Amino acid sequence: MSNRGSEPSFTGGLCVQMPTDAASVAVLEERARLLRRERHDEPLAGAAESCYLRISLGEEARYGIPFDALEEILYPRGVRAIPGVPPHIAGVMNRRGEFVTVVDPAPLFGLQPQSITKNSRIIVVQYLQHMVAGLLVTGVENEVRYHHDELTAPFPTRNLSTDFIRGIHLGNVTLLAPRTLLASPEVQINHLNRSEDAIHG
């Protein structure tokens, strides 16, 4: 008598029934893929819908920060500029005793550096294990739900790698991959984290 859709696999003296039908194999492959995942900037293929926070950089540019990358939203109080850093480094701030580098994404996308106003916010993102950084944004607008098939591929740009963009939502909102962006050599902020000398020097 045989079990259809499976075949025995002998491991360590035990007989294990391994599924061979297409549906079961697909489930096992998806589980293996999820176990291999170390980054979270890529949306799950099986998830039909996700959310992002729509933000503005400057007066017209609209971007999205995926909710799975968002740790905290702060007011930009006490941001201190650092001499001699690239224009996309807005400064550092003290977050409950921890020094956090504040990145201005606008210059990375070919826009003018942002000025801090009453509507500005800092989106805190954790990347590279326990390291965090803040993204300075002109304003926070609203939460947007989207289906992954609504995203289109980003256009190549000389300013920034398309690896840092998940896609374009409905043709007008650039959905960022902030963890990949902050960990990239182009941004290079690791040495600025917890930099007390940069604040007081």
Side-chain angles (χ1 to χ4, degrees):
M1 181 175 179
S2 63
N3 292 324
R4 293 185 178 181
S6 64
E7 58 185 22
S9 173
F10 294 91
T11 306
L14 299 177
C15 179
V16 180
Q17 296 294 324
M18 296 296 293
T20 58
D21 61 285
S24 298
V25 169
V27 169
L28 290 176
E29 289 177 348
E30 177 65 9
R31 289 178 179 174
R33 188 186 69 80
L34 291 174
L35 288 173
R36 290 194 302 268
R37 278 173 50 89
E38 295 182 356
R39 288 191 175 275
H40 300 283
D41 273 329
E42 293 293 332
L44 296 177
E49 190 176 59
S50 297
C51 295
Y52 66 81
L53 183 68
R54 188 166 66 180
I55 59 156
S56 57
L57 300 179
E59 295 183 358
E60 298 182 0
R62 296 295 180 268
Y63 291 84
I65 304 290
F67 264 62
D68 59 17
L70 193 158
E71 181 174 299
E72 188 176 8
I73 301 176
L74 301 174
Y75 288 95
R77 298 190 180 103
V79 176
R80 300 287 298 273
I82 305 173
V85 296
H88 63 268
I89 302 295
V92 290
M93 68 180 298
N94 188 320
R95 184 184 75 148
R96 299 183 293 276
E98 177 185 29
F99 293 108
V100 175
T101 304
V102 179
V103 175
D104 181 357
L108 297 172
F109 288 94
L111 305 172
Q112 291 296 318
Q114 300 173 87
S115 299
I116 295 179
T117 70
K118 64 178 182 179
N119 295 320
S120 300
R121 297 291 184 271
I122 293 176
I123 311 296
V124 179
V125 175
Q126 181 177 338
Y127 70 103
L128 291 181
Q129 296 180 347
H130 301 297
M131 302 184 75
V132 297
L135 295 175
L136 176 65
V137 302
T138 302
V140 171
E141 297 185 358
N142 59 335
E143 174 186 336
V144 178
R145 288 190 165 284
Y146 72 98
H147 289 271
H148 296 161
D149 57 9
E150 294 174 339
L151 298 181
T152 56
F155 294 106
T157 173
R158 291 180 299 176
N159 298 315
L160 201 62
S161 170
T162 54
D163 292 340
F164 309 145
I165 300 174
R166 286 190 178 183
I168 309 298
H169 184 225
L170 300 180
N172 56 23
V173 178
T174 302
L175 189 59
L176 301 177
R179 292 184 178 126
T180 305
L181 172 66
L182 291 171
S184 68
E186 288 91 337
V187 176
Q188 293 183 345
I189 64 172
N190 297 357
H191 64 289
L192 295 174
N193 281 344
R194 300 177 177 84
S195 179
E196 187 172 1
D197 292 339
I199 296 179
H200 299 293

